[in-house]
Each structure stands twice: as C-alpha cells, then as structure tokens.
Amino acid sequence: MLAPSLAAVFVLCTGVLAGALVAVERAVVPMLLRLPRRTWSEVHRLLDPGFDPLMPTVNKVALAAGLGLSFLAPSAASRAVFAAALASVAGVALVSELRNVRMNRRIDAWAEAGEIPDGWDTLRTDWARANRRRTVCAVLAFCAALGGCWLAWG
C-alpha cells in the first residue's frame, strides 16, 4: 500500500514540476527575452515569489517519494525506472540551486543597488538556458515516473 501511495505523490509532483517549467519555458521565457533592461529586471523579480517556496517544496517531496520508490517498488525494472526519474528530479534541483537561484539573487541585488550592470543580457540568456535544462529534466522525470508506474502496476 505504501508504494502505490508514493507513486501517486511522485507522479503528481513530477507532473507539477514538468507542467510549471514547460509553461515558463514556452510563455514566460520568450516574454522575458523581449523586455528591455529595467522592465526585465522588475518582471523577473516579481515572478519569483510566485514560484518560491512552492516549487522547491514540490521538488523536495518528489525527491522523497522517488527515493522511497527506488527501494519499495514491486519489481527490479520499476525500481530502476523510478531511480532514473529520481535522478532527473535531482537534476531539476541541482540546476535550480546551482544556476537559476544564484542568478535570481544577483538580479535581486541589482534592484537593491538600484543599478543593472552592463552585461545583464548575458545573465538573462544564461538564466533561460539553465531553465531549459531543468525543464528537460522535469519532463524526463515525469515520463519516467509514469513508466515506473506502468512497469509496477500496469
């Protein structure tokens, strides 16, 4: 009974991660890439409170559920696929923390200083590239979570 419950939570969390990041990739990033310097900085900063702390929390719950499934799923094949999904969720977390969150802090510091430095557009491009990487990881995690469920109970 525990493994199916963990699987439901895992699929839900990986689906939320993938869905939110695909929406950001397809709608928000293209809009941000078209904005001028000051507007881009302001809009980017206004978006963060909508995603944080929700997305990190969803990611942590997914990590916990995926870890449990990597040991508790009913077959070796399903455990392996859940472990692959878990690795992809870890990829989302790592890219987020090591790239996007650090860049978000730099953008926030610019607002506090009242000055957006030259080269800001490079950071904007780097942020978009990192977001694309974590989006790919999230979509892979969701697909693998579904595959693990199919192998386990399909």
Side-chain angles (χ1 to χ4, degrees), residues 19-71:
L21 288 170
V22 166
V24 168
E25 184 63 28
R26 298 291 300 149
V28 176
V29 170
M31 178 266 305
L32 287 172
L33 290 174
R34 289 180 177 85
L35 295 176
R37 177 190 298 221
R38 180 123 350 251
T39 306
W40 166 76
S41 175
E42 290 171 14
V43 170
H44 192 282
R45 289 183 50 247
L46 290 170
L47 287 169
D48 272 350
F51 289 101
D52 191 10
L54 175 64
M55 296 306 285
T57 300
V58 170
N59 205 315
K60 289 172 188 171
V61 172
L63 287 168
L67 183 62
L69 287 166
S70 297
F71 293 99

Side-chain angles (χ1 to χ4, degrees), residues 12 22 27 30 32 36 38-39 45 50 61 75 83 85 92-93 97 105 110-111 124 140 150 153:
L12 175 65
V22 166
L32 287 172
R38 180 123 350 251
T39 306
R45 289 183 50 247
V61 172
S75 68
V92 173
E97 288 300 318
R105 288 185 186 136
W110 297 345
R124 177 174 68 176
L140 290 173
W150 181 78
W153 300 285

Side-chain angles (χ1 to χ4, degrees), residues 7 10-12 14-15 69 81-82 84-86 89 139-151 153:
F10 194 49
V11 167
L12 175 65
T14 57
L69 287 166
V81 174
F82 283 128
L86 173 63
V89 172
V139 169
L140 290 173
F142 180 58
C143 292
L146 292 174
C149 288
W150 181 78
L151 287 170
W153 300 285

